[in-house]
Amino acid sequence: MLVASHLECVRGERSLFRNLAFRLDEGELLYLQGRNGSGKTSLLRMLCGLLPPAAGEIRWKGETIGRLGEDYRRELCFLGHLNAIKEELTPLENLRASAKLADTPLDEDLALEALETLGLAGRADLACRYLSQGQKRRVALARLVHERKSLWLLDEPFVALDTAAVELVAGLIGAHLQRGGLAVLTTHQPVNIPAGTVRQLVLGSC
Amino acid sequence: MLNAVFSLIARDLRLGMRRQADIASVLFFFIIVVSLFPLGIGPEPDQLRRLAPGILWVAALLATMLSLPRLFADDHRDGTLEQLALSPQPLGLIVLGKVAAHWLVSGLPLTLLAPVLGLQFDLSSEALQALTLSLLIGTPALSGIGAIGAALTLGVRGGGVLLSLLILPLYIPVLIFGAGAVEATVTGVGAQAHLSLLGALTLAGVFFAPWPTAAALRIALE
């Protein structure tokens, strides 16, 4: 359960939002919306603990995330708008390295299967710099196939993806919610995610 | 917990192997700077022998400086640094892994090259041994202390120059004891004391530097 209360975000001199509050339970999806510059990415970075809020607090299962530290990060999967993949490494190496770092090692078969799911079957051993923008995004998203962390924070996951891949990723998010996971998502694309409860939060209106 | 750090080191080494130009440029810089001195000073063996420890150590410092800006910059640019900061490992430990990988691709090759370059200065075999040993013990401190500067100047325009201004003064003790160890061997005093102090500096550098580095990285990521 993720609860945010009285959150305020200040970037530079400007206050992007203040007094923001929401609550997210197991199996629920929070859909962040708002125009460019309304603070969606800042809110996501606050939720994962990279950006300390100017005011307010974020609680995970009743405890502030600052106090939980590593225990919180162990349950967290963050996908920023940067792909965090290395151009010199192959998709397989990238996927396995990021899985190990997150303390959820993947053996080669599972990793290959994840890449195959995202349509990168023939590309597993090709250095990522030869891949297109959309394919690189797919490599980053391949993490989600076997990801079993309870909170997913996804910043514009559908950027550069084709319609088939968008549907696939929406399905992955849906399956995650079905397992009782939580997800926070920003996107500008109208995407139909098969989720039970979808909460909407529109930034920039307060 | 350590598994993740070892896999990070392995990943960085693999990246290093695929970007050999980065490693090669540091090593060639070291070779060229050291080789320019005998040409500039002239072929007097006595003078060369006396200057050798300082020249080799200063060149090693500068070569290390050259590789430092990239320590976190690539990870910062492609978003890997965010993932490192969000991994369930303490960030200090991850920094330690980055420092170890940096040493393996810069400090260690410099150390292995140094005795060959030392021959240009007519150093005796004992002095060459002392030089190699002092670099082996001292270069990890250069990577460790340098990581603080690399993290503090992350994302700053013209960060390379700022990095040198921040870090070179902190390298002074390492330089004094490192070059001093070779000097002491040449004059027959024995390098034991210098090497012990150098070892202490390295231990302090490698084990304390990751924490301020981690703090600086968190600030850079905000």
Side-chain angles (χ1 to χ4, degrees):
Chain A
M1 186 178 69
L2 185 70
V3 180
S5 47
H6 306 294
L7 279 187
E8 177 172 4
C9 173
V10 180
R11 294 306 264 169
E13 301 283 291
R14 253 190 91 221
S15 170
L16 288 180
F17 52 78
R18 60 159 55 104
N19 243 336
L20 185 109
F22 67 83
R23 175 202 165 95
L24 199 64
D25 284 312
E26 276 72 31
E28 292 184 348
L29 171 75
L30 179 67
Y31 210 145
L32 292 181
Q33 285 169 313
R35 51 189 165 70
N36 294 134
S38 58
K40 299 186 295 297
T41 295
S42 297
L43 178 57
L44 272 183
R45 292 173 72 83
M46 267 181 198
L47 291 179
C48 62
L50 284 174
L51 181 69
E57 58 177 18
I58 301 161
R59 285 176 179 272
W60 173 250
K61 294 179 179 162
E63 193 76 63
T64 56
I65 60 168
R67 191 167 309 155
L68 284 172
E70 284 147 33
D71 293 329
Y72 177 60
R73 280 182 261 143
R74 203 174 297 283
E75 304 195 47
L76 177 81
C77 168
F78 171 70
L79 204 102
H81 51 104
L82 294 170
N83 287 330
I85 61 172
K86 292 284 173 194
E87 305 253 295
E88 287 84 358
L89 300 182
T90 66
L92 185 62
E93 288 165 340
N94 267 308
L95 180 59
R96 294 193 67 193
S98 65
K100 263 191 204 151
L101 193 69
D103 240 355
T104 48
L106 276 183
D107 64 34
E108 195 167 329
D109 292 337
L110 282 180
L112 278 173
E113 185 198 306
L115 290 171
E116 215 167 303
T117 310
L118 277 144
L120 292 163
R123 310 281 191 284
D125 291 319
L126 192 70
C128 282
R129 68 164 163 274
Y130 300 118
L131 299 181
S132 76
Q133 204 58 39
Q135 284 174 319
K136 284 179 193 163
R137 195 65 180 161
R138 285 171 186 234
V139 175
L141 287 162
R143 273 172 63 195
L144 298 181
V145 176
H146 292 294
E147 190 65 76
R148 291 295 175 268
K149 304 202 163 181
S150 33
L151 176 61
W152 288 10
L153 303 173
L154 311 174
D155 195 356
E156 298 278 356
F158 306 116
V159 162
L161 292 183
D162 56 30
T163 40
V166 168
E167 232 163 81
L168 190 80
V169 173
L172 288 176
I173 299 172
H176 166 69
L177 296 169
Q178 217 118 62
R179 284 194 298 269
L182 292 74
V184 183
L185 178 76
T186 69
T187 180
H188 290 289
Q189 281 160 273
V191 179
N192 184 25
I193 292 170
T197 320
V198 180
R199 291 170 190 266
Q200 304 247 356
L201 187 63
V202 182
L203 294 177
S205 57
C206 46
Chain B
M1 186 148 79
L2 285 177
N3 269 344
V5 177
F6 285 130
S7 97
L8 177 69
I9 296 176
R11 192 208 65 172
D12 273 15
L13 290 183
R14 189 175 284 163
L15 278 174
M17 288 300 118
R18 304 223 174 132
R19 287 182 196 153
Q20 280 168 354
D22 286 3
I23 302 176
S25 63
V26 169
L27 293 183
F28 275 110
F29 177 82
F30 183 56
I31 294 170
I32 287 171
V33 169
V34 171
S35 308
L36 285 178
F37 277 91
L39 298 175
I41 295 168
E44 269 180 62
D46 274 348
Q47 203 172 20
L48 285 178
R49 265 199 297 271
R50 215 170 46 246
L51 292 175
I55 291 172
L56 280 154
W57 258 96
V58 169
L61 290 192
L62 295 178
T64 307
M65 290 290 322
L66 202 63
S67 62
L68 277 175
R70 281 192 306 267
L71 181 54
F72 299 114
D74 289 337
D75 284 348
H76 188 45
R77 199 173 29 244
D78 64 22
T80 312
L81 197 60
E82 287 173 357
Q83 297 296 337
L84 292 178
L86 290 176
S87 86
Q89 274 58 255
L91 189 52
L93 208 59
I94 283 176
V95 170
L96 193 61
K98 295 284 296 176
V99 167
H102 178 259
W103 180 75
L104 286 172
V105 298
S106 72
L108 186 62
L110 290 180
T111 306
L112 297 176
L113 260 179
V116 183
L117 295 177
L119 288 175
Q120 297 182 78
F121 295 84
D122 194 30
L123 285 176
S124 65
S125 63
E126 291 84 50
L128 286 178
Q129 265 174 27
L131 173 70
T132 315
L133 202 57
S134 69
L135 281 169
L136 190 66
I137 299 175
T139 42
L142 301 183
S143 297
I145 299 168
I148 303 178
L152 283 172
T153 55
L154 197 59
V156 177
R157 237 156 55 91
V161 180
L162 191 59
L163 178 65
S164 330
L165 294 178
L166 277 174
I167 289 305
L168 282 177
L170 296 177
Y171 279 174
I172 292 172
V174 183
L175 173 66
I176 290 174
F177 294 118
V182 190
E183 197 86 57
T185 313
V186 173
T187 53
V189 185
Q192 187 66 46
H194 286 93
L195 291 179
S196 303
L197 283 165
L198 200 56
L201 280 175
T202 293
L203 284 180
V206 169
F207 288 98
F208 291 117
W211 310 107
T213 308
L217 288 179
R218 290 213 184 278
I219 293 170
L221 281 174
E222 269 179 22

